Amino acid sequence: MTTAASGVVFGGAKLDVVESRLARRDLALILVVVVLWGFSFVPIKVALRDTPPFALVALRFFFAAVPLVFFVPRPRLPASSIVAYGLAIGFFQFGLLFLGMNLGMPAGLSSIVIQVQVFFTIGLGVAFLGDRLRRENVLGALVAALGVIVLAGYKIRGGATSTFIGLVAVLVAALAWAIGNIVAKRAAQRHAPDMFALVVWSSLVPPLPLLAVSYTFEGGTGVFHAIAHASVLTWACVLFMAYGATLFGFASWARLLHRYPTALVSPFALLIPVSGLASGAIFLGETLAPLQAFGVSLVLVGLVVNVYGGHAWARFAASTK
């Protein structure tokens, strides 16, 4: 069940109308995506046993592009949009995230802090795409953000500390993710490309810069030795990240951002650390403390308000007339 929102003007042209309520199939899809992204922290942890971080990200995007780039037609987009998306998502988001971790940001805390991208995305969507904020979007995002703050507080209380420069790197990574979201949404509004093709072709952009950074900071030729001698399990994790988290995940995410307001879709990313905690408990034997469970509950409540709050408020207002 969806209702149409009014059209907006961008660059002198009226854009396609986006929908203001998630269809059930799209709600299911977005939940699959964020659960998949949260689960991907398990194969990341496994693959990092054999492979340096920047090299691992380079392999992830290389296999997201090759061999599909030879079979998937190039999206109907300017090269600048493809390169911008590839740099924002592939190089800066993941490159700066791993740089921040190397500079002192714990992995668990980094996975929470980078969700600041939700608010960057909403702000950029309002500023550059004409998106409208509804009261349920604001209230739901604030409640979910409070849950993420509780999860971060638990990490800090448990001894997770960070350097200032590491924190800044992760925050800039969050901004890069938000910029990538806006690049994809604006490209879809102007050119209506195949989002899967966009992810495939943009994945050609980050591998070489990431390998150069890895070669410089992660051991020179030792990087290539580590890649050549990676285990079968590590290669399986790389392929999962390339085909599952990158191709399926980011293509689906970009399609949803095109169809719906950023304020409706982007807060679902706050479920990523929640699903990460769940996958850690299921596959790595990690436990969930009561304070973490409380933070998870706040995130879930916030998302329910964000998705269904407007409908509930409308029914309440109608019943009181």
Side-chain angles (χ1 to χ4, degrees):
M1 298 284 292
T2 57
T3 56
S6 59
V8 296
V9 175
F10 186 88
K14 193 168 184 178
L15 304 177
D16 291 339
V17 173
V18 295
E19 299 179 41
S20 59
R21 234 185 115 197
L22 279 170
R24 290 180 181 176
R25 65 182 182 278
D26 290 331
L27 176 60
L29 176 61
I30 200 170
L31 290 175
V32 169
V33 170
V34 295
V35 167
L36 185 67
W37 281 345
F39 170 78
S40 68
F41 283 100
V42 174
I44 286 172
K45 288 180 180 179
V46 172
L48 284 173
R49 297 171 185 171
D50 292 341
T51 314
F54 287 103
L56 178 60
V57 181
L59 290 173
R60 169 181 180 161
F61 283 95
F62 174 81
F63 285 105
V66 179
L68 286 175
V69 73
F70 299 111
F71 304 99
V72 176
R74 176 181 160 177
R76 295 175 296 174
L77 284 174
S80 58
S81 296
I82 298 173
V83 172
Y85 186 76
L87 287 175
I89 297 296
F91 183 74
F92 286 105
Q93 178 193 340
F94 285 98
L96 289 173
L97 174 62
F98 280 119
L99 177 62
M101 292 166 63
N102 286 341
L103 292 174
M105 275 288 286
L109 189 58
S110 297
S111 70
I112 296 172
V113 171
I114 200 171
Q115 301 314 322
V116 173
Q117 67 85 17
V118 169
F119 303 101
F120 287 147
T121 299
I122 292 173
L124 292 174
V126 171
F128 295 104
L129 301 177
D131 284 352
R132 292 187 302 160
L133 280 178
R134 302 172 185 272
R135 67 167 67 89
E136 63 269 20
N137 300 145
V138 176
L139 179 59
L142 289 176
V143 173
L146 180 59
V148 172
I149 291 171
V150 170
L151 293 175
Y154 175 83
K155 288 285 185 182
I156 294 171
R157 193 181 72 170
T161 59
S162 67
T163 62
F164 177 74
I165 189 63
L167 175 63
V168 170
V170 175
L171 289 174
V172 178
L175 177 60
W177 186 357
I179 290 172
N181 288 338
I182 300 304
V183 168
K185 182 164 185 172
R186 189 172 77 168
Q189 289 174 331
R190 287 184 165 183
H191 305 280
D194 179 353
M195 289 302 185
F196 182 79
L198 171 61
V199 175
V200 169
W201 280 79
S202 66
S203 294
L204 283 173
V205 177
L208 286 179
L210 285 167
L211 276 178
V213 173
S214 181
Y215 181 87
T216 304
F217 296 104
E218 293 181 337
T221 56
V223 170
F224 303 106
H225 182 271
I227 293 174
H229 292 83
S231 67
V232 173
L233 180 59
T234 294
W235 284 111
C237 292
V238 168
L239 294 179
F240 172 84
M241 288 184 281
Y243 290 99
T246 302
L247 291 177
F248 173 76
F250 277 104
S252 300
W253 186 256
R255 287 193 196 104
L256 291 164
L257 279 172
H258 170 49
R259 186 172 183 182
Y260 298 97
T262 52
L264 183 61
V265 173
S266 58
F268 278 89
L270 297 172
L271 274 178
I272 295 172
V274 173
S275 58
L277 287 172
S279 63
I282 295 171
F283 296 100
L284 301 178
E286 299 172 354
T287 57
L288 193 66
L291 188 60
Q292 289 176 302
F294 176 64
V296 167
S297 300
L298 286 175
V299 172
L300 295 176
V301 169
L303 291 174
V304 169
V305 171
N306 185 57
V307 175
Y308 297 108
H311 181 64
W313 176 260
R315 292 185 63 180
F316 173 76
S319 66
T320 57
K321 289 183 180 179

